[in-house]
Amino acid sequence: MGPLRMGEGPRRRVVDRGVRVASVMVLALVTAALAGCTGGEDDLAACARQASTLSSIDPVTGDVEWQADLAQASESPPHVFDGTAIVTGPCGVAALDLADGEVLFDDALPEESSGVFGVIDDLLIVQEDREGDSNGYSTLSLTEDAPGYTYVTNVPFHGAAIAGGNLITGYGSSLRSQTLGEARPDWDVGLPACCHDLHLHDENLLLLTGSDGSTYAIDLADGDVVWRTIPPVPALGYDIRVTSVRGTILTAATTSDVSESSFVYATDARTGRLRWTHPAMSVLGVDRQVTVLRARESVEARDTRSGDLLWRHPAPTAIEHESTSTAALTSDTVVVQQVGSTTTGFDRTTGEMLWDGGEATSVVAAGDVVLALTEDGVTALDPPTGTALWTVDGERSWQQLAVSPGGQVLHLDSDAPPQPAMDDCC
């Protein structure tokens, strides 16, 4: 029996079975800033409530474990912070208990709010952009007895992350780690002038990157600089995209010179030592053993530590810029989704093509099941054969998918998010 096209397997209606699953702990980066609205007529239309449904799905059976109807339409996947799922809309946010889907918050944010940092304990951390030059953050309680906090400053905001229950922020020339409610930060260090983008590698290491190509590794325990790297290819400037896995940091870089070039390089997460570099547009997927890269005319698998080529296949279409394709790695296979083409399964070790299936917008692994997101919903694929195991249909125009660190599948079925008028909003 050949591989089924996406959606031909058993189909599930989205129903609430009331099954509880364990919550998970996760270190997560900042969620994307909201559109932010100023209250004009166009802004009110942009902030009009739209519907979405968030479901938790068992990746093996396709059973829907819980389901919640929300008032936030979103074009971004759900984010998970310490057992809380977050869905951001153009002017509001929903927060849910990851264990049972209980809706903790689902409303518009205050007028001065411009984004969401995440969740610490029972507090939703909200970015504020007040009139004039002042900005900062405040908290919204997800329970009745959680205290509230506000921080206001008149220096520019650069970025934020949540790690180990602390809020890490970059304001002005300062990078600090703060325990909410404490008067003094745990540490406060100088923020390198070049590097304002924050990326969490793990519970111990924060990465700062900038347009000059520098990457600073910051010890989250005390704020000390552990190491600094620069790209192995000289250029006037770079567009940097960081992906990390335990022990290794992979950086996809595109130079901003007149004659631009793209490459991926790997560094040792502990020492910052360069391990390897190869021409490529982006990192499609990675684990501790295998890294899948998208080159201009091919998809190639390399050893994550050494960079040695394991196998290479021609890509169906050539690209000149960063690819939005993805790859899902399981114990035996690599499943590659490519924009405008089919989804293909390869033997992880040999690169042998195992099957070629339907088109998807993204793929992600949940254990040894591969989940393919399409315009119609979510389909689980058997990695060795490409056979559809189950399908959960969406009912709305926008589909998003996320897998928590504990393997919990979150499917967001959303109305098309309203777009604010750019002249009046943002």
Side-chain angles (χ1 to χ4, degrees), residues 1-369:
M1 179 179 177
L4 299 179
R5 292 185 63 83
M6 252 75 84
E8 293 182 358
R11 308 185 87 83
R12 311 282 191 210
R13 291 187 61 196
V14 180
V15 294
D16 186 358
R17 298 181 179 269
V19 179
R20 295 180 64 91
V21 293
S23 61
V24 298
M25 301 292 289
V26 59
L27 299 173
L29 296 179
V30 176
T31 55
L34 307 180
C37 297
T38 57
E41 184 175 340
D42 290 338
D43 300 332
L44 293 176
C47 288
R49 290 195 172 199
Q50 301 291 319
S52 67
T53 300
L54 184 64
S55 304
S56 173
I57 305 173
D58 185 292
V60 176
T61 66
D63 290 340
V64 176
E65 299 174 316
W66 55 255
Q67 181 182 79
D69 293 326
L70 306 174
Q72 308 300 327
S74 179
E75 58 186 7
S76 300
H79 296 260
V80 176
F81 294 85
D82 192 19
T84 303
I86 296 293
V87 175
T88 56
C91 298
V93 64
L96 303 89
D97 189 315
L98 191 64
D100 57 13
E102 178 188 358
V103 178
L104 306 173
F105 185 93
D106 184 16
D107 208 342
L109 292 175
E111 184 176 346
E112 64 272 13
S113 301
S114 58
V116 175
F117 292 160
V119 174
I120 296 178
D121 296 329
D122 295 320
L123 295 172
L124 185 69
I125 317 301
V126 177
Q127 180 183 354
E128 291 193 354
D129 187 7
R130 298 169 179 263
E131 293 184 4
D133 295 330
S134 64
N135 56 67
Y137 62 83
S138 62
T139 62
L140 296 174
S141 176
L142 301 181
T143 62
E144 293 183 359
D145 55 353
Y149 304 102
T150 299
Y151 173 79
V152 179
T153 182
N154 60 0
V155 297
F157 168 75
H158 301 300
I162 292 175
N166 275 21
L167 179 63
I168 317 297
T169 55
Y171 284 102
S173 59
S174 175
L175 179 70
R176 64 173 58 187
S177 175
Q178 184 84 36
T179 301
L180 292 180
E182 296 293 331
R184 293 179 178 273
D186 291 3
W187 50 260
D188 190 339
V189 299
L191 183 66
C194 64
C195 305
H196 294 158
D197 295 327
L198 281 61
H199 315 269
L200 282 177
H201 170 65
D202 58 19
E203 68 274 11
N204 301 313
L205 210 61
L206 175 73
L207 306 177
L208 301 176
T209 63
S211 60
D212 75 338
S214 296
T215 297
Y216 284 82
I218 306 297
D219 189 328
L220 284 169
D222 53 20
D224 287 348
V225 175
V226 181
W227 48 260
R228 179 203 176 202
T229 63
I230 58 174
V233 177
L236 296 177
Y238 307 83
D239 174 30
I240 298 291
R241 302 172 303 280
V242 175
T243 304
S244 65
V245 67
R246 183 178 176 185
T248 304
I249 294 164
L250 293 136
T251 304
T254 299
T255 65
S256 57
D257 296 353
V258 175
S259 177
E260 86 172 21
S261 62
S262 296
F263 54 95
V264 172
Y265 61 98
T267 53
D268 185 302
R270 184 175 62 85
T271 66
R273 180 179 61 85
L274 178 67
R275 286 182 173 164
W276 53 263
T277 181
H278 291 287
M281 309 300 293
S282 61
V283 178
L284 302 186
V286 60
D287 61 22
R288 295 183 68 184
Q289 290 77 40
V290 177
T291 295
V292 183
L293 303 179
R294 178 59 157 100
R296 291 189 187 277
E297 298 181 350
S298 65
V299 173
E300 56 187 48
R302 293 187 175 273
D303 184 285
T304 297
R305 290 188 61 86
S306 68
D308 292 343
L309 181 66
L310 303 177
W311 48 264
R312 177 187 287 124
H313 278 276
T317 56
I319 58 172
E320 296 298 327
H321 300 286
E322 177 189 357
S323 171
T324 56
S325 302
T326 55
L329 283 68
T330 70
S331 58
D332 298 315
T333 62
V334 173
V335 177
V336 178
Q337 164 270 339
Q338 300 186 80
V339 177
S341 182
T342 57
T343 300
T344 308
F346 300 97
D347 183 280
R348 177 187 173 101
T349 303
T350 66
E352 175 189 0
M353 183 185 294
L354 303 175
W355 53 269
D356 198 34
E359 187 173 349
T361 56
S362 67
V363 292
V364 63
D368 272 339
V369 174

